[in-house]
Amino acid sequence: MMPTYPPVFWRFVLCNKNGKPISMLDGIASDVHLDFILNRAAVMSFSVPSEDPRVNILHTDGDPYLDVGDRVMKAWRKTPVGSTETPGGWELKFAGRVWSLEDTGDGDTVRTSVVCFDPLKILEKRVCRNDDGTFWDDQKPVEFWNGAVYPAVIGRPEDGSSGAKIIKKLIQRTRDHAGPVHINLSGNWEDTQGMTLSFDQAMVADAIATITDSLTCDLEVTDGGGSPGYLNAYDGTFMRLGGVARLGSDKTATVKFYYAKTPFTASEYTRTKTLDTLANAIHFMIKSRTGHRVSAEDDTSQDDYLVMEEVAALTSFESPDSPYPQKLADIQLALRKDPRDIVTVLPTPESSSLPWNDYWLGDTVSVEAASTPFPVTRQTVSGAQRIYGISLAIDDDYGEHVTDLITTPTD
């Protein structure tokens, strides 16, 4: 018999830009949603009545209590009874800047819709830099070389480093030369797979996506105690970040989401398979007088799905001797030679496992959508699936519930 879980409630605190509380939005925030995606910025959205003094009176800085840019939202989760993590207490599970507001009025009232992002969003607005802070010198692109001597015509970049360490360096540099980003870098930074990379005026968020999409490194967001969560600080740092080879652990024996099959822990099921992202013939053009090109192709994929090509220019490289473009083409081929296959399940409220307490991003869980008894699925899904996204809706009456659990087959 599956256990029954009591409702899990949340508390929402509006803060100044440094994280100090200025207003409580409990009871007035509605349509609250939280979305967590592996290696991407988490997002919180909600709406409030615009006429409420908890959002529209002026703060001491001259701006309304609720405003964009210089306001931060923190979301606290009530720990379920019986949990080993601060049982009965409150844990900070989201902290991020108010990114956008939209005031909408009809004949009776005006409501303000709010979207907030955690600190990773800021890295979309920060450029990759060299150690000296430069990013505009054509003769000195931001490069990391793994285990070889770089061609002298361009100059020698830094010694090779693991993907996780490259991410840490890029964030540290933008903090040093462009200012704070709300990120504490004291997390666990592992020696993940070495990488050779070049970033020509790319944004830090794009660089992180390049590294994590190689499936050799994941970001780890933790609170001060090492659990998934955020920092409750008043100094403008809200995220403790690290980088590991693979986030999560095997929870297949304890966390099971079964659709149309006992114990019915998933009430809805969606499977999407698409060729939209498929490419089985990758061609990268290198900036050189000879028009040098590298390619990576997969015959089996081409036989099954026809030839699907991707062509791109790598403007950071002029020398045909650099092995990096070929490595990048090989990585792209490995990631894109098969159809994208994503499974989304809706966990059954009160009878399925709880996020944070039982599973989190990166964990591997059991997902089954059986052909019996009813309803019958087009194709049986059975086995280990890795969690890439978790969406939550939060209500004052019934607490949190998972609205989407996004998974994909494990390697």
Side-chain angles (χ1 to χ4, degrees), residues 39 54 78 84 86 110 167 181 193 241 257 312 322 340 404:
N39 301 321
R54 283 171 284 184
K78 179 72 169 177
T84 58
T86 59
V110 180
I167 292 174
V181 289
Q193 180 174 309
L241 192 64
F257 297 102
S322 170
R340 190 181 186 192
D404 282 309

Side-chain angles (χ1 to χ4, degrees), residues 123 128 166-167 170 197 199 202-213:
L123 300 180
C128 296
I166 292 173
I167 292 174
L170 291 175
L197 296 172
F199 304 111
M203 294 301 166
V204 175
D206 293 333
I208 292 175
T210 297
I211 295 170
T212 56
D213 286 353

Side-chain angles (χ1 to χ4, degrees), residues 151-173:
V153 66
I154 299 179
R156 181 181 175 85
E158 297 185 55
D159 292 335
S161 185
S162 74
K165 299 293 179 63
I166 292 173
I167 292 174
K168 183 179 181 181
K169 287 181 180 179
L170 291 175
I171 297 175
Q172 182 64 62
R173 290 173 185 176

